[in-house]
Amino acid sequence: MAGGVTPGPLALPGFWCERFVHESLYADAPASWAAMVTHSAARAMHCIGADARRMASGLPDRERQRVLDRVGRHGHVGAMAALHRGEPCGLGLELAGAWVEWSARPVLLLPLVSRTASCCPVKAERPDGFGAPMLPADGFR
């Protein structure tokens, strides 16, 4: 991985992804926050896109289509290229008056505990994405 994130003997390359939801574009503090980690740039982009599509699913047709067009595949190629160069990437969308920002950045991970489950949360009602409910995050109010 380029861009200064070089794995060492114990550290593994990975990607830290976050989602901040603001009540509006002009809100000072986030209303909620969620994070996830993955070892794949493609998986990071897949989870961000799936989360944006899930959040847009309840919007009126015209606004939902605007969001889906913005989340389309073309942006994923540039974002994955940035991640592989060691650069962060992000996506910001207005969803029903709220401002939602997703970001992904390369990090080094220390494998402290073995994990066999997927790094991207998977639940029956939410097949992909961050999986965190849209609730206020502690410390943000």
Side-chain angles (χ1 to χ4, degrees):
M1 194 179 303
V5 179
T6 307
L10 295 178
L12 300 171
F15 301 93
W16 177 260
C17 305
E18 294 178 298
R19 177 189 67 206
F20 288 92
V21 179
H22 300 266
E23 291 177 359
S24 75
L25 181 60
Y26 306 104
D28 290 332
S32 72
W33 170 83
M36 60 161 277
V37 66
T38 182
H39 293 285
S40 162
R43 187 73 177 153
M45 292 299 93
H46 173 78
C47 288
I48 288 172
D51 198 55
R53 285 188 292 279
R54 180 184 57 81
M55 292 177 80
S57 66
L59 297 174
D61 289 340
R62 187 176 209 162
E63 192 173 351
R64 182 178 63 243
Q65 191 56 50
R66 177 188 60 81
V67 170
L68 295 177
D69 289 345
R70 180 87 194 275
V71 175
R73 291 242 178 242
H74 299 292
H76 286 195
V77 173
M80 285 195 329
L83 290 174
H84 284 295
R85 287 191 307 266
E87 301 169 1
C89 65
L91 171 68
L93 294 172
E94 184 180 0
L95 296 166
W99 181 253
V100 185
E101 295 175 344
W102 292 267
S103 64
R105 63 185 167 96
V107 294
L108 291 176
L109 304 170
L110 296 175
L112 300 176
V113 177
S114 175
R115 181 177 176 159
T116 58
S118 170
C119 290
C120 183
V122 177
K123 295 183 180 178
E125 67 273 7
R126 291 186 212 120
D128 282 313
F130 286 69
M134 298 291 294
L135 299 174
D138 293 337
F140 284 109
R141 289 258 175 200

